[in-house]
Amino acid sequence: MLLPPNIALMIWPVIVLALFMTMSRQSALSVGLVWGYLLLPEAFKIDVPLLPPLTKNSVTVFTVLVCLLLFKEKFSARGPQKSPSPLINEYPSFGILLLGLLVLMFLNEVATVLTNTNPLIIGSRFIPGLTVSDLISATVRTMVLVAPYFLGRAFFKTPEDHRKLLRSLVLAGLVYSLFILLELRLSPQLHNWVYGYHQHSFAQHVRGGSFRPKVFLQHGLWVGLFVLMVVLAAGGMSRNKAYADHTKWMLACGYLLVLLVFSSNLGALGLAILFLPLLWLRIGVQVRVAALVALLFVSYPAARQANLVPLDQISTFSSKISEERADSFMFRLRNEEILLERAFEKPLFGWGGWGRNRVFNEIGNDISVTDGLWVIVLGTSGWIGYLTFFGLLAAPLMMLPRVVKKHNIPPETAAIALIMAANLIYLVPNSALSPLAWLLTGALAGFVQYRQGAKVSNVNAVAEPSDMSRVSPYTRFPHGPTRDVAVSAQGSLSDTRTGRFHSPATSMP
């Protein structure tokens, strides 16, 4: 053991503080959240009296929030950090919707506790009823979950912000690939070597004659999802030919895709093969695909209950790929069926924590396995909790088709939408939702709600060519002469309705 896990959790706030002292607010925020998730110990917590346990995610989120408050005056004194033009709240109703979902999410926690105060006695098993302490713990967990979402919405609204966010994600993926390659060669041991224990079963990460890396994340499936996100992020960056070095992003995408092939994550690899070609379609098609995936995901439990999902066909297809995968798929389906029956016994507010949403036999043995995040949320929080939880994730994706009819959407923003669509599909059989996904979705929410307005002294004035030359073609334009066709600094054209970009070979300023 190189570093005790409790020491690592205590050191991280000092590192994040140093980041905020030496970097810009956006850079410190993204680096603090991304690397806290990627490096800190898993399956470890510090018990604090009268408070929920401290984990890697809660330590990272609370430290970032405290630093934002401590350095608020410092960043305010520097003046505007983002764009030369003011931000206009174009869809205030969308902001009200997000706030309403957040408030309803917290109210649902209260209702879940109040409707589950009685203990459960099943055979020899005793499960306590929920109390005020459970409400406090649930509230803090919800705060930790959604904080990156609203941080992304507040600090990563614009296309330029999305570009920085994807660049940070890809660079993190390239560095993390070294750890993945090490575990591919030597077996998944890094967490054990550094922190002194395995965060998950080692046997689950042996795949034939190779290994499934888990590095410092909860499971190898989490590593697969992270690499999938980075592959799509690099593909989205390479899509923008306004960069003089856009081919470097393509090379990074190819390298990471090969890494994903060798990491033994069939689901993540399948999604990469499915979504990568979409990055080269029209922007409007990309955002509509993402919106459709979000809609189907939110309605998935209802479709399952109504037997509208073609499970037999999916099972037959998976058996053609691998009998082992088909058996695993059917095992998941059987568990989802019994967990759904359990969830619909308390459909509104769910069963709450302590495993009350699980299924036990007559002697009290647990006979269920919870894999998909959707069935976990539905069982613990009911339909209201499910719709508020996943409504926050799905709402920005479902709004983007409306935005693309009016404004320019750059390739980076469309790539984030596809990344989140892939995340939602991945959550059907898995529970691998990460703070990075919340941060990216929050960035989409900020983009949907706000747009950059042109700096003009008179609202009726027409921009001169010299003024237009200072406007980035990847900025959402206001209504008027610049709505349909925007002119870049190099004289290139971007059609905001089709999403096609025509840029010169020179790099953007």
Side-chain angles (χ1 to χ4, degrees):
M1 179 170 60
L2 296 177
L3 182 64
N6 56 339
I7 300 298
L9 290 184
M10 289 188 287
I11 288 176
W12 191 248
V14 179
I15 295 175
V16 175
L17 182 65
L19 293 175
F20 274 86
M21 293 176 64
T22 57
M23 303 173 72
S24 68
R25 177 165 50 189
Q26 285 179 314
S27 298
L29 195 158
S30 61
V31 171
L33 287 177
V34 170
W35 284 104
Y37 171 71
L38 293 177
L39 293 180
L40 290 179
E42 278 285 357
F44 180 82
K45 59 185 180 181
I46 299 176
D47 289 319
V48 180
L50 303 178
L51 291 174
L54 293 176
T55 63
K56 65 184 289 184
N57 289 338
S58 60
V59 167
T60 300
V61 168
F62 288 140
T63 301
V64 166
L65 292 176
V66 170
C67 287
L68 285 172
L69 293 175
L70 288 176
F71 293 95
K72 181 179 179 180
E73 293 185 2
K74 168 191 170 183
F75 292 121
S76 298
R78 291 180 179 179
Q81 297 288 317
K82 295 183 179 179
S83 63
S85 54
L87 291 174
I88 300 171
N89 189 350
E90 185 175 32
Y91 293 110
S93 58
F94 181 72
I96 295 172
L97 171 64
L98 298 183
L99 180 60
L101 289 173
L102 180 64
V103 171
L104 192 56
M105 182 184 292
F106 284 110
L107 291 178
N108 185 72
E109 299 285 0
V110 177
T112 300
V113 170
L114 293 179
T115 55
N116 287 278
T117 56
N118 295 326
L120 299 178
I121 302 175
I122 308 170
S124 60
R125 183 180 295 270
F126 176 83
I127 304 178
L130 303 185
T131 63
V132 174
S133 62
D134 295 304
L135 176 60
I136 296 174
S137 297
T139 301
V140 173
R141 282 196 303 270
T142 301
M143 289 175 58
V144 171
L145 275 174
V146 302
Y149 181 93
F150 287 94
L151 290 174
R153 177 172 170 265
F155 298 109
F156 295 94
K157 301 182 183 77
T158 69
E160 291 76 14
D161 298 336
H162 293 180
R163 193 171 301 133
K164 294 175 184 177
L165 196 54
L166 288 189
R167 182 185 294 111
S168 176
L169 188 62
V170 174
L171 293 178
L174 291 174
V175 173
Y176 215 61
S177 71
L178 303 178
F179 300 143
I180 296 173
L181 289 171
L182 184 64
E183 289 202 339
L184 283 172
R185 180 67 181 87
L186 301 178
S187 80
Q189 296 280 357
L190 276 175
H191 199 284
N192 184 40
W193 292 338
V194 174
Y195 295 119
Y197 66 96
H198 283 285
Q199 72 273 42
H200 207 281
S201 167
F202 182 85
Q204 287 192 18
H205 295 82
V206 179
R207 293 289 174 181
S210 62
F211 301 102
R212 173 187 281 172
K214 49 189 171 74
V215 198
F216 300 108
L217 301 184
Q218 182 174 335
H219 192 278
L221 294 171
W222 273 247
V223 174
L225 178 59
F226 172 68
V227 178
L228 167 64
M229 294 170 67
V230 176
V231 166
L232 295 178
M237 295 291 284
S238 69
R239 168 75 162 77
N240 193 337
K241 292 182 173 57
Y243 304 137
D245 59 348
H246 70 93
T247 55
K248 295 181 180 179
W249 298 109
M250 178 61 74
L251 292 174
C253 178
Y255 161 70
L256 293 164
L257 182 61
V258 172
L259 187 69
L260 186 58
V261 171
F262 287 102
S263 68
S264 300
N265 279 283
L266 183 61
L269 177 60
L271 289 173
I273 295 173
L274 176 65
F275 278 89
L276 264 179
L278 297 179
L279 291 171
W280 278 265
L281 299 179
R282 293 194 302 118
I283 300 296
V285 174
Q286 294 180 45
V287 299
R288 286 176 176 83
V289 169
L292 178 61
V293 169
L295 177 62
L296 293 176
F297 179 85
V298 172
S299 59
Y300 181 74
R304 281 293 306 274
Q305 189 181 20
N307 296 319
L308 298 178
V309 182
L311 299 177
D312 293 336
Q313 291 85 340
I314 297 175
S315 177
T316 302
F317 176 77
S318 62
S319 65
K320 294 179 180 178
I321 300 175
S322 168
E323 287 294 336
E324 181 183 357
R325 300 296 183 191
D327 292 340
S328 175
F329 178 74
M330 293 307 299
F331 175 78
R332 290 170 186 261
L333 289 183
R334 287 192 293 269
N335 276 277
E336 287 179 359
E337 290 294 338
I338 61 175
L339 288 167
L340 273 175
E341 292 178 6
R342 177 68 172 170
F344 291 135
E345 292 178 20
K346 288 202 171 185
L348 284 181
F349 306 119
W351 288 95
W354 297 102
R356 297 166 64 92
N357 63 310
R358 303 177 74 89
V359 180
F360 306 91
N361 61 17
E362 62 278 0
I363 62 174
N365 292 332
D366 189 352
I367 60 172
S368 59
V369 177
T370 51
D371 286 319
L373 183 62
W374 67 273
V375 77
I376 296 174
V377 174
L378 189 64
T380 57
S381 302
W383 267 111
I384 295 179
Y386 176 88
L387 292 175
T388 54
F389 186 96
F390 291 111
L392 285 173
L393 291 171
L397 298 179
M398 296 171 70
M399 276 289 292
L400 280 176
R402 181 177 177 181
V403 173
V404 79
K405 293 178 180 179
K406 300 172 61 177
H407 299 297
N408 186 24
I409 292 183
E412 295 86 354
T413 302
I416 292 177
L418 290 179
I419 289 171
M420 285 313 305
N423 266 266
L424 292 179
I425 296 176
Y426 204 77
L427 292 179
V428 174
N430 304 301
S431 56
L433 186 63
S434 71
L436 309 186
W438 285 104
L439 181 66
L440 291 173
T441 316
L444 284 180
F447 177 84
V448 166
Q449 186 175 352
Y450 298 94
R451 67 178 177 88
Q452 289 177 307
K455 273 191 170 182
V456 293
S457 58
N458 189 325
V459 294
N460 296 317
V462 177
E464 297 293 335
S466 59
D467 295 325
M468 288 299 299
S469 67
R470 290 191 292 269
V471 180
S472 168
Y474 306 107
T475 300
R476 293 170 61 190
F477 289 96
H479 298 294
T482 62
R483 172 179 171 181
D484 296 326
V485 178
V487 184
S488 73
Q490 291 82 11
S492 60
L493 298 181
S494 60
D495 188 332
T496 63
R497 295 192 177 192
T498 64
R500 293 192 180 96
F501 291 82
H502 313 283
S503 302
T506 56
S507 66
M508 292 292 293

